[in-house]
């Protein structure tokens, strides 16, 4: 009231079956939000909720895509290290992976980091941070 607000209308903004926020409308006039105004505001809140849900789905898909790209790049480094193990130890992919995993577990270092160390030792430089096929 100190700011002159005499009426307010609050409507939930829903996305994914949850209330994520509210649409708050204020007026300087008392009893400014009758039945018609409430219906119009309700329709606006419904549209805003749909836009919010779409934005959330887009953000989730973008994040998932980024994670998949990182996983593919990581997988490329691991596959290169497996190829090195297979060539040096004259073994198959399963045995090479078992060796790589064992080293990772014994040293308590991520598989990708062990693979990068192996590639760096053999190639004389670290592997590229991106998958070339993306």
């Amino acid at each position: 009231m100190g700011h002159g607000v005499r009426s307010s209308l609050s409507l939930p903004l829903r996305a994914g079956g949850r209330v994520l926020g509210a649409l708050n409308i204020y007026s300087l006039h008392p009893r400014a939000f009758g039945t018609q105004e409430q219906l119009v505001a309700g329709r606006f809140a419904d549209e805003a909720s749909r836009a919010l849900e779409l934005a959330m789905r887009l953000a989730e898909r973008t994040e998932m895509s980024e994670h998949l790209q990182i996983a593919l790049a990581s997988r490329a480094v691991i596959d290169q290290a497996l190829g090195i193990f297979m060539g040096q130890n004259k073994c198959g992919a399963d045995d090479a992976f078992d060796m790589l995993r064992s080293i990772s577990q014994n040293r308590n270092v991520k598989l990708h980091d062990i693979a990068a160390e192996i590639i760096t030792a053999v190639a004389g430089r670290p592997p590229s941070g991106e998958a070339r096929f993306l």
Side-chain angles (χ1 to χ4, degrees):
M1 290 188 76
H3 295 285
V5 175
R6 298 294 181 258
S7 296
S8 70
L9 176 62
S10 296
L11 300 162
L13 295 177
R14 293 182 169 87
R18 312 180 287 160
V19 175
L20 296 180
L23 171 64
N24 299 307
I25 306 170
Y26 303 99
S27 175
L28 301 176
H29 306 287
R31 294 177 295 282
F33 304 108
T35 304
Q36 186 62 30
E37 290 81 11
Q38 290 177 31
L39 286 173
V40 170
R43 279 183 255 159
F44 185 81
D46 289 343
E47 290 298 321
S49 292
R50 280 192 277 285
L52 178 61
E53 188 157 11
L54 181 61
M56 288 178 56
R57 272 192 271 144
L58 181 61
E60 288 171 1
R61 298 302 189 278
T62 299
E63 184 178 6
M64 184 181 356
S65 175
E66 290 169 356
H67 288 166
L68 287 173
Q69 288 177 354
I70 291 167
L72 285 172
S74 177
R75 182 62 196 203
V77 170
I78 292 169
D79 284 343
Q80 290 175 40
L82 290 177
I84 292 168
F85 268 21
M86 290 167 63
Q88 289 178 343
N89 296 292
K90 309 285 190 256
C91 65
D94 290 340
D95 291 334
F97 187 79
D98 288 342
M99 285 187 272
L100 189 62
R101 184 180 57 220
S102 178
I103 293 168
S104 171
Q105 290 172 345
N106 290 337
R107 289 182 47 195
N108 196 25
V109 176
K110 289 183 179 181
L111 196 67
H112 173 270
D113 295 340
I114 296 294
E117 286 180 25
I118 292 165
I119 294 168
T120 301
V122 170
R125 61 187 167 93
S128 171
E130 60 188 53
R132 298 180 72 163
F133 49 84
L134 293 179

